Amino acid sequence: MLYDAIVIGAGFAGLTAARTLIERGKKVLLLEARDRVGGRVYTHHFADGTYIDLGGQWIGPTQDRIYALAKEMKVPVFATYNEGKKTIALNGKLKLYSGLIPKIDVASLLNIDYVLKRLDKLASRVVPDKPWQTPDARRLDSATLASFLDRHVWFGNARQVLEAGFDTVFACTPAEISILQALFYIKSGTNLNTLLNIENGAQQHRFEGGAQTVANRLSKCFEAHILLNSPVTHILQTETSVQVITRNAQTHTALRVIVAIPPALCARITYTPPLPPLRDQLTQRVPMGTVIKCYAIYPTPFWRANGHSGQVVADDAYHLQTTFDNSPPDASRGILMGFCLAHRARKLLALPPQERQHQIMQNFIAFFGKAAEKPLLYTEKCWAEEEWTRGCYTGMMPPGAWTNFTDALTRPVGRIHWAGTETAAVWNGYIEGAMQSGQRAAQEVMDMES
Amino acid sequence: MLYDAIVIGAGFAGLTAARTLIERGKKVLLLEARDRVGGRVYTHHFADGTYIDLGGQWIGPTQDRIYALAKEMKVPVFATYNEGKKTIALNGKLKLYSGLIPKIDVASLLNIDYVLKRLDKLASRVVPDKPWQTPDARRLDSATLASFLDRHVWFGNARQVLEAGFDTVFACTPAEISILQALFYIKSGTNLNTLLNIENGAQQHRFEGGAQTVANRLSKCFEAHILLNSPVTHILQTETSVQVITRNAQTHTALRVIVAIPPALCARITYTPPLPPLRDQLTQRVPMGTVIKCYAIYPTPFWRANGHSGQVVADDAYHLQTTFDNSPPDASRGILMGFCLAHRARKLLALPPQERQHQIMQNFIAFFGKAAEKPLLYTEKCWAEEEWTRGCYTGMMPPGAWTNFTDALTRPVGRIHWAGTETAAVWNGYIEGAMQSGQRAAQEVMDMES
């Protein structure tokens, strides 16, 4: 059997690429390492019907592809809970506030506003599909986002709030990415307000039944084309075709391959002939972020009764940068979700699971009081422990990578094409970006044939 | 057969670890992916007896382990050719100079001196085996070396000369490493003068017959313990032992394993159980540098007759940052070696080999005149193309890595220990560091047994 295309990875990028090609009448095989589809979108269902999204869960305005797909797959979306007061935990004190502006000193507020506006203005100049061609790219790529903050943030409270926010957006510390990467990411997701907000922002909607429901239903449309439990170990190109070899020693052959997994995982496949050095070296340089997604599940969302939104932003004294109300739309359970990210996650990773759980629960109790003490269940997902992802949310370009390696992230290598949200020009790092990358790679394959 | 230890990688780290354990009476197997030992030290011999070091080639003061080993293996060292004038190629002009101080404007010279002294002073405070415990480590780790230069270099000529020098030391751009990584590297190699200089510096001596001769002779001492052509694909730990599986499907079992390859290659082995997330994520974050080592071979070292040292430092208008006289000690051939590094190498990697060669030769001709036009032979080694190295000289910690991942580079994982020059506290990135790391890992294994 000679396929027109083999797609590697059944996350939203691979599913979209496969579907696009199948709809054009192509013979397609989709290989997935895990025993499920969805990739970084992963919903866990409990016996009592409660579900939690352990991976990607939100969508928002301008993410037209995923809204359309959810509609088509008949998966209703609902508004993320966003009523009541929020808490800011700063300098050992918890303060409640309403609206978008946390209760901190005016100087810090002005400083935060200045920094967000300045980053948005710089981001507006980024060339989204060619960040290395952005005006002044080399300078912006040679300094870290942390250096930018050192220069433009003058108040400790502003720094703490901005870092908690940026950690929540990037899932790595501001030291790890260049200013150019930060600007590119902001531009690809419209602007910083969009990235940070629930209402009219990237956190606006959730999916009934969880985000993986969309991937599951999509995969049913071409189930016969999908092989699960098939991690790819080797890709071998010849003059006329490509052989893809899986860990269980199966060989599949196609005219083209779309690799729809993160660059750090691309590095772990053996290629014959070897990849060009620029491509190989790039894959050494796009590390995954660090996320522990922490869940405490209660009989009811008790915080709502107290007029609280479930939303907290916390400084370095806590393990969780931010929390959200992740209860189901009918509030049949009360679910708090906390993000433990970047350096805070790395500290906790060194602890045994029991101790980690204890530390995180202490945070939930500090934020939400005695009522938070006894959840029905505590659970967490550490994405750095997942063999087939190795971190979340996404792969991030460190300083120097964009300007030194330019299009190595997306440029096809012979019969191999690259997809995955890391390669997206819009909504990079998000479900929407994954879908855009899948469409783009499928188009590349179709263009090659014509 | 149950070995006391399996060592993976027969570079200087693995050879040293294996030898140390064998001398203590341990049963050892050394597995090497290539068909030769030496790793990043690789000497090519031509039919006429000429040899060139395509990889590591120099040693210098305080590198006591490799000097002692060379002596023991009866490989004489000789002084790197360092007589005559040098050339600085700047702003479209070539200028000759004598001694250590290039002929550029006094302001730039003072600026260069200031920057080197300042970096040396900061480097003196680094804790070499625990860089993350250096005073002010988080701040130093959150900005790039490029940002440091932006702040402290005020003259264009100073910047060009410093960058050519730093590129030659680090093999990556100043954008790619944190200030802390630069300081750690400087401290581990004594100071900047030592790293940059030939006389009394890291480039002081070469090996008769090439540097690989030392590795070859060392390997002869325990040849029966070495398996070549055996790339490791899988390391499987049980309660009582470790299984190491090679690409040709052989399984070897030992009580302990020492993995003596760069972190970026460690990432490409499959581990059962999976590595702890901190270790796995670290291996996504230690990319190899980019080096094309370029050779033009002539009947005689004609530049010497003109009173020239063969040494050039060139600005961004050229592909080569620096050149050296790499002729054999008897000057039976004239050999020019040029380093094409970091961003300059990445630009050339996109070109076809013939065009690359043409461009590099134009540089040699620009530096050494018409006499350089017709070499007996031009050849080059691009280390990013080597499957079992993936770049040179070494793996470099980007911003945020040291302070976020701390001891993940060296901390043993169950029965697995880590060696390789990237893990060295002294002469990190050099042959000497590789040997230190091999001794340290061997000691860890012996301590475990007692």
Side-chain angles (χ1 to χ4, degrees):
Chain A
M1 175 78 164
L2 176 68
Y3 294 97
D4 292 314
I6 292 171
V7 180
I8 299 171
F12 274 86
L15 287 168
T16 303
R19 180 198 200 176
T20 307
L21 290 169
I22 290 167
E23 286 181 351
R24 304 290 188 95
K26 304 298 174 198
K27 279 182 292 185
V28 174
L29 176 65
L30 175 53
L31 295 171
E32 167 56 42
R34 294 181 167 99
D35 59 2
R36 62 170 182 84
V37 301
R40 283 168 265 184
V41 171
Y42 177 33
T43 307
H44 181 77
H45 294 265
F46 295 97
D48 69 351
T50 308
Y51 57 86
I52 50 176
D53 273 314
L54 297 172
Q57 66 171 61
W58 284 303
I59 60 172
T62 79
Q63 300 184 356
D64 300 335
R65 291 173 186 83
I66 179 62
Y67 273 108
L69 181 64
K71 195 173 174 191
E72 185 190 351
M73 295 297 141
K74 301 193 175 15
V75 180
V77 300
F78 64 98
T80 303
Y81 189 77
N82 194 28
E83 292 162 37
K85 299 193 182 236
K86 302 166 192 172
T87 294
I88 181 147
L90 208 55
N91 306 319
K93 285 182 201 147
L94 302 185
K95 287 192 181 166
L96 291 170
Y97 66 99
S98 301
L100 291 171
I101 299 163
K103 199 172 262 181
I104 57 172
D105 61 290
V106 175
S108 289
L109 285 177
L110 290 171
N111 197 173
I112 290 170
D113 186 58
Y114 164 77
V115 166
L116 298 184
K117 287 213 172 86
R118 193 172 171 110
L119 284 170
D120 271 340
K121 190 173 170 191
L122 287 168
S124 71
R125 298 180 196 150
V126 171
V127 182
D129 57 342
K130 288 173 183 158
W132 60 94
Q133 290 181 1
T134 299
D136 217 12
R138 194 163 279 279
R139 195 179 59 78
L140 295 168
D141 199 31
S142 74
T144 63
L145 178 60
S147 289
F148 178 91
L149 297 178
D150 286 344
R151 175 174 295 208
H152 296 289
V153 184
W154 310 291
F155 302 97
N157 285 347
R159 183 74 182 239
Q160 287 283 351
V161 172
L162 281 168
E163 289 218 8
F166 289 155
D167 288 357
T168 304
V169 167
F170 298 118
C172 64
T173 66
E176 292 172 87
I177 53 174
S178 69
I179 301 172
L180 184 61
Q181 166 65 18
L183 298 177
F184 159 72
Y185 205 78
I186 292 165
K187 171 73 172 263
S188 94
T190 315
N191 57 41
L192 267 169
N193 273 334
T194 307
L195 289 181
L196 290 164
N197 288 349
I198 291 180
E199 209 171 321
N200 296 316
Q203 286 71 238
Q204 182 160 277
H205 284 120
R206 293 166 55 209
F207 299 93
E208 282 190 19
Q212 200 192 335
T213 314
V214 184
N216 289 344
R217 292 195 185 163
L218 174 56
S219 74
K220 294 286 182 240
C221 306
F222 47 94
E223 210 170 5
H225 297 257
I226 305 175
L227 274 186
L228 300 176
N229 303 304
S230 302
V232 169
T233 56
H234 197 154
I235 299 176
L236 196 151
Q237 296 196 63
T238 69
E239 287 277 303
T240 52
S241 67
V242 201
Q243 288 175 13
V244 177
I245 302 166
T246 63
R247 193 181 277 184
N248 40 352
Q250 289 195 315
T251 301
H252 309 280
T253 308
L255 293 174
R256 299 262 155 198
V257 166
I258 294 174
V259 182
I261 58 178
L265 295 196
C266 292
R268 294 162 194 242
I269 293 173
T270 302
Y271 301 85
T272 306
L275 294 181
L278 275 180
R279 170 72 200 179
D280 184 84
Q281 287 215 323
L282 178 75
T283 66
Q284 300 173 28
R285 286 169 164 78
V286 196
M288 305 301 286
T290 314
V291 180
I292 311 176
K293 208 175 175 189
C294 306
Y295 276 98
I297 303 179
Y298 302 90
T300 61
F302 60 85
W303 51 92
R304 293 186 185 180
N306 307 331
H308 200 284
S309 63
Q311 293 166 44
V312 179
V313 174
D315 71 11
D316 252 345
Y318 298 89
H319 302 296
L320 300 174
Q321 275 92 340
T322 44
T323 73
F324 295 87
D325 179 332
N326 245 4
S327 309
D330 64 0
S332 56
R333 287 278 181 259
I335 304 183
L336 288 172
M337 186 273 284
F339 276 126
C340 176
L341 302 153
H343 60 297
R344 303 194 203 176
R346 288 155 194 161
K347 260 188 232 155
L348 279 200
L349 285 178
L351 301 180
Q354 282 298 97
E355 175 62 16
R356 196 154 94 187
Q357 166 167 352
H358 175 74
Q359 297 267 343
I360 298 282
M361 275 310 302
Q362 291 308 111
N363 276 201
F364 281 126
I365 294 163
F367 299 152
F368 298 101
K370 218 174 145 54
E373 269 182 358
K374 295 232 180 336
L376 298 173
L377 186 92
Y378 171 87
T379 190
E380 60 182 31
K381 183 77 201 165
C382 170
W383 283 89
E385 287 170 351
E386 282 274 307
E387 181 173 12
W388 305 117
T389 307
R390 308 266 178 193
C392 267
Y393 320 125
T394 191
M396 279 284 172
M397 300 287 262
W402 274 123
T403 50
N404 273 268
F405 293 89
T406 65
D407 67 353
L409 203 54
T410 48
R411 178 195 282 269
V413 176
R415 297 174 174 276
I416 307 176
H417 302 257
W418 311 103
T421 194
E422 286 80 5
T423 69
V426 296
W427 285 105
N428 189 288
Y430 289 76
I431 299 172
E432 179 75 8
M435 292 185 67
Q436 187 260 336
S437 81
Q439 289 175 344
R440 191 252 313 136
Q443 191 58 52
E444 282 175 15
V445 166
M446 291 185 293
D447 290 346
M448 287 292 171
E449 292 176 338
S450 62
Chain B
M1 175 80 164
L2 176 68
Y3 294 98
D4 291 313
I6 292 171
V7 179
I8 299 170
F12 273 87
L15 288 168
T16 302
R19 180 200 200 176
T20 306
L21 290 169
I22 290 168
E23 286 181 352
R24 303 291 187 95
K26 304 297 173 198
K27 278 182 293 185
V28 174
L29 176 66
L30 175 53
L31 295 172
E32 166 57 41
R34 294 182 167 98
D35 60 1
R36 62 170 182 84
V37 301
R40 283 168 264 184
V41 170
Y42 177 33
T43 307
H44 182 77
H45 294 264
F46 295 97
D48 69 352
T50 308
Y51 58 87
I52 51 176
D53 273 314
L54 296 172
Q57 65 172 62
W58 284 303
I59 59 172
T62 78
Q63 299 184 355
D64 300 335
R65 292 172 185 84
I66 179 61
Y67 273 108
L69 181 65
K71 194 173 174 191
E72 184 191 352
M73 295 298 141
K74 301 194 176 14
V75 181
V77 300
F78 63 97
T80 302
Y81 189 78
N82 194 27
E83 292 163 37
K85 297 191 183 238
K86 302 165 191 171
T87 293
I88 181 145
L90 208 56
N91 306 317
K93 286 182 201 147
L94 302 184
K95 287 191 179 167
L96 291 170
Y97 66 99
S98 301
L100 291 171
I101 298 164
K103 198 173 262 181
I104 58 172
D105 60 289
V106 174
S108 289
L109 286 177
L110 291 171
N111 197 173
I112 290 171
D113 186 58
Y114 163 77
V115 166
L116 298 183
K117 287 212 171 88
R118 192 170 172 110
L119 284 171
D120 271 340
K121 190 172 170 191
L122 287 169
S124 70
R125 297 178 197 152
V126 171
V127 183
D129 57 343
K130 289 174 181 154
W132 60 93
Q133 291 182 359
T134 299
D136 217 11
R138 194 163 280 278
R139 195 180 59 78
L140 295 168
D141 199 32
S142 74
T144 63
L145 178 60
S147 289
F148 179 91
L149 297 178
D150 286 344
R151 175 174 294 209
H152 295 290
V153 183
W154 310 291
F155 302 97
N157 285 347
R159 183 73 182 239
Q160 287 283 353
V161 172
L162 282 168
E163 289 219 7
F166 289 154
D167 289 357
T168 304
V169 167
F170 298 118
C172 65
T173 66
E176 292 172 87
I177 52 174
S178 68
I179 301 172
L180 183 60
Q181 167 65 17
L183 299 178
F184 159 71
Y185 204 79
I186 292 165
K187 171 73 173 265
S188 95
T190 314
N191 55 41
L192 267 169
N193 274 334
T194 307
L195 289 181
L196 289 164
N197 287 349
I198 292 180
E199 209 172 320
N200 297 316
Q203 286 70 237
Q204 182 160 279
H205 284 120
R206 293 166 55 209
F207 299 93
E208 282 191 19
Q212 201 191 336
T213 314
V214 184
N216 288 344
R217 292 194 187 165
L218 174 56
S219 73
K220 294 285 180 242
C221 306
F222 48 93
E223 210 169 6
H225 297 258
I226 305 175
L227 273 187
L228 300 176
N229 303 304
S230 301
V232 169
T233 56
H234 198 155
I235 298 176
L236 196 152
Q237 296 196 62
T238 69
E239 286 277 305
T240 51
S241 66
V242 202
Q243 288 175 14
V244 177
I245 302 166
T246 63
R247 193 181 276 184
N248 41 353
Q250 290 195 316
T251 300
H252 308 280
T253 307
L255 293 173
R256 300 260 155 201
V257 166
I258 294 174
V259 182
I261 59 178
L265 295 195
C266 291
R268 295 162 193 242
I269 293 174
T270 302
Y271 301 84
T272 306
L275 294 182
L278 276 180
R279 171 70 200 180
D280 184 84
Q281 287 215 324
L282 177 75
T283 66
Q284 300 172 28
R285 286 168 164 78
V286 196
M288 305 301 288
T290 314
V291 179
I292 312 176
K293 208 174 176 190
C294 307
Y295 277 98
I297 304 178
Y298 301 91
T300 61
F302 60 85
W303 50 92
R304 293 186 185 179
N306 307 330
H308 200 284
S309 63
Q311 292 165 44
V312 179
V313 175
D315 71 12
D316 252 345
Y318 298 89
H319 302 296
L320 301 174
Q321 275 92 339
T322 44
T323 72
F324 295 87
D325 180 332
N326 246 4
S327 309
D330 64 1
S332 56
R333 287 277 182 259
I335 304 183
L336 288 172
M337 187 274 284
F339 275 126
C340 176
L341 301 153
H343 60 298
R344 303 195 203 176
R346 289 156 194 162
K347 260 188 231 155
L348 279 199
L349 286 178
L351 301 180
Q354 281 300 98
E355 176 62 16
R356 194 154 94 186
Q357 165 167 355
H358 174 75
Q359 296 268 343
I360 298 282
M361 275 310 302
Q362 291 309 109
N363 275 201
F364 280 127
I365 294 163
F367 298 151
F368 298 100
K370 222 175 142 52
E373 268 181 359
K374 295 233 181 329
L376 297 174
L377 186 94
Y378 170 87
T379 190
E380 61 182 30
K381 183 77 201 164
C382 170
W383 282 88
E385 287 171 351
E386 281 273 307
E387 182 173 11
W388 304 117
T389 306
R390 308 267 178 191
C392 266
Y393 320 126
T394 190
M396 279 284 172
M397 300 286 261
W402 274 124
T403 50
N404 273 270
F405 293 89
T406 63
D407 67 353
L409 202 54
T410 48
R411 177 195 281 270
V413 176
R415 297 174 174 276
I416 307 177
H417 302 257
W418 311 103
T421 194
E422 286 81 4
T423 70
V426 297
W427 285 105
N428 190 287
Y430 289 75
I431 300 173
E432 179 75 7
M435 292 184 66
Q436 188 259 335
S437 80
Q439 288 175 345
R440 191 251 316 135
Q443 190 60 51
E444 282 174 15
V445 167
M446 291 185 293
D447 290 346
M448 286 293 170
E449 293 175 339
S450 62

